[in-house]
Amino acid sequence: MRSEIIVDLSKLDGNLKAIKSRLKLGVKVMAVIKDNAYGHGAVPVARHLCSQVDWFCVATLSEAIELRESGIEIPILVFEVPEKQDADKYLDYRITATIADISTFEILKAGTEYQLNFDTGMRRLGIPDEDFESAVNLYKKYEELRCTGLYTHFSSADEPDNESVTRQLDKFRSVAQHFPDELMKHTANTGAIFYYKDLDLQFDAVRPGVCLYGYLAGESESSDLTPIIEWKSYVMQTRAVKKGESVGYGETWKAPEDGTVGTIPIGYSDGVQRLIGGKIQVEVNGKLVDQVGRISMDYFGIYSPDHAFKTGDNVFIFNDEKLNPKNWAAVLGTIPYEVTTSLHQRIKRIYVKK
Ligand SMILES: *Cc1c(COP(=O)(O)O)cnc(C)c1O
């Protein structure tokens, strides 16, 4: 086994608890497990969460079908715009479609459940302003379809006190008043749940994503969220290096002193971005050791001047506060979402409850 990702389901439960502690009474949880549950493995995460949440949300129809075929029975909302040739599948698999474009009304099959996504300022998916009125009319006209809800998505809820959140919320409220009250309404992603508790934006449900996996959206820290993964590999080979000898492609790094170099069988194709080369550490035998040289496709090097490891030793790439996707994201100038979704499917995921 070149490496494995260990997902701690007890920590996932802890994060869900932290989310629920911020919800008003009766607000449902629509757990966002798109993109393989942000890299953590959609089916095992769904199996674990399905008795504790009310809905799942995914990006694509094929993700929703995978969940249904794995025996997941709770409602599933797909965010993408349905394609005409797939319309039957929404009905056959009892999957809730999104209408984000008014042309979708005519392609869905009678009996299909859907929710309306209104673009209130994100300008990515969603019915734009100029079609709000048509959407109201089409909703009434297409009685054979079953509308169950209305939603919108915030562009900047990952920043506390961003006035666009209020602006989007006002717009959402004003369009929602043209629909019956009993339709469920939801707006809140991680940022909205954690930073905007005081704006009345939870409505009937929330859509937490990245916080389930232990990260806050944006820069802030949260004391009650914990990353749920460890990433473990081993030292595949070692060699002695002399002061001044280089390691890896391009000879970009040279040993400052005599020491040992270890080769870890993980590379950029596993999700260790090449740009992070030389900027991270790993843990071996309880010690932090520098990663050195360029990251190759399937390998990277580590170095110790005092023989801190030998061939076969376990190596932790992620395991704690210092070694986790949040820190990598900071080094790379990106967000934890990108780090965890980049973890390649080929890496074995193991699920434990500690
Ligand atoms: C991804 C996504 C979410 C979850 O966002 P997080 O920031 O991960 O909580 C919620 N709603 C929609 C429409 C999304 O695309």
Side-chain angles (χ1 to χ4, degrees):
M1 182 82 53
R2 296 169 68 92
S3 80
E4 60 194 27
I5 290 169
I6 303 148
V7 181
D8 187 341
L9 298 170
S10 314
K11 289 183 179 159
L12 179 61
D13 291 342
N15 294 335
L16 182 60
K17 204 170 145 203
I19 296 162
K20 287 186 173 174
S21 74
R22 288 165 169 83
L23 302 187
K24 304 212 167 97
L25 204 66
V27 173
K28 294 193 158 121
V29 176
M30 305 176 83
V32 181
I33 57 169
K34 62 190 180 191
D35 299 276
N36 203 26
Y38 292 43
H40 297 75
V43 169
V45 166
R47 285 203 175 118
H48 182 71
L49 287 181
C50 65
S51 58
Q52 308 181 62
V53 302
D54 305 282
W55 283 73
F56 288 123
C57 300
V58 290
T60 67
L61 175 64
S62 57
E63 292 174 302
I65 292 174
E66 188 193 14
L67 293 176
R68 281 282 181 262
E69 289 186 335
S70 314
I72 300 296
E73 290 292 327
I74 69 172
I76 304 173
L77 172 66
V78 173
F79 292 144
E80 71 178 342
V81 173
E83 293 186 47
K84 191 161 195 246
Q85 72 270 21
D86 293 333
D88 287 332
K89 297 197 181 121
Y90 282 92
L91 190 59
D92 295 349
Y93 286 92
R94 296 165 291 110
I95 291 164
T96 305
T98 285
I99 293 189
D101 186 302
I102 52 173
S103 66
T104 300
F105 280 99
E106 61 185 34
I107 72 164
L108 294 181
K109 305 291 176 189
T112 303
E113 281 197 16
Y114 72 95
Q115 298 202 351
L116 289 160
N117 175 10
F118 291 100
D119 176 11
T120 56
M122 173 73 174
R123 301 188 188 89
R124 179 180 66 177
L125 290 181
I127 298 166
D129 287 21
E130 61 269 25
D131 290 338
F132 281 9
E133 215 180 300
S134 314
V136 177
N137 295 330
L138 289 166
Y139 157 79
K140 288 181 190 144
K141 180 177 159 203
Y142 282 85
E143 280 179 327
E144 71 277 21
L145 301 177
R146 292 161 56 205
C147 185
T148 62
L150 313 172
Y151 71 97
T152 192
H153 191 49
F154 295 119
S155 68
S156 308
D158 57 329
E159 293 169 19
D161 302 318
N162 190 305
E163 49 82 37
S164 72
V165 175
T166 333
R167 209 176 339 118
Q168 287 193 252
L169 204 51
D170 288 347
K171 220 173 211 182
F172 181 67
R173 283 211 183 88
S174 75
V175 59
Q177 77 192 17
H178 298 284
F179 291 87
D181 240 7
E182 65 265 22
L183 294 182
M184 72 185 285
K185 292 184 269 306
H186 47 100
T187 67
N189 54 4
T190 296
I193 297 167
F194 282 79
Y195 305 142
Y196 292 90
K197 275 178 300 210
D198 302 334
L199 288 186
D200 203 7
L201 50 62
Q202 293 184 352
F203 297 95
D204 303 296
V206 294
R207 302 189 307 268
V210 82
C211 54
L212 282 168
Y213 313 104
Y215 313 96
L216 263 186
E219 308 279 305
S220 312
E221 298 284 327
S222 167
S223 53
D224 56 352
L225 294 176
T226 323
I228 67 172
I229 49 172
E230 295 189 339
W231 191 6
K232 185 175 156 193
S233 183
Y234 74 106
V235 182
M236 187 176 254
Q237 212 185 1
T238 51
R239 72 202 63 242
V241 282
K242 293 244 174 317
K243 181 176 175 175
E245 285 180 339
S246 71
V247 172
Y249 284 119
E251 304 188 327
T252 55
W253 180 87
K254 297 203 169 65
E257 289 172 56
D258 291 1
T260 311
V261 165
T263 301
I264 315 303
I266 297 181
Y268 56 77
S269 78
D270 296 285
V272 183
Q273 286 83 344
R274 196 167 168 279
L275 287 173
I276 213 171
K279 297 180 181 151
I280 50 169
Q281 293 186 307
V282 299
E283 190 196 303
V284 199
N285 301 322
K287 281 193 189 147
L288 290 177
V289 167
D290 290 340
Q291 184 276 317
V292 298
R294 284 200 184 141
I295 309 284
S296 310
M297 192 179 294
D298 303 300
Y299 300 96
F300 65 69
I302 59 174
Y303 163 80
S304 160
D306 48 14
H307 313 289
F309 53 80
K310 58 182 189 316
T311 304
D313 285 350
N314 285 330
V315 173
F316 285 95
I317 295 89
F318 294 147
N319 78 337
D320 62 9
E321 272 306 303
K322 277 198 211 88
L323 303 179
N324 74 43
K326 199 165 46 182
N327 299 76
W328 278 31
V331 171
L332 287 164
T334 183
I335 50 179
Y337 302 67
E338 192 180 356
V339 176
T340 63
T341 56
S342 301
L343 298 172
H344 199 280
Q345 297 266 13
R346 78 177 180 186
I347 307 165
K348 183 161 192 211
R349 272 85 167 155
I350 292 170
Y351 297 85
V352 299
K353 282 181 215 167
K354 286 192 184 157

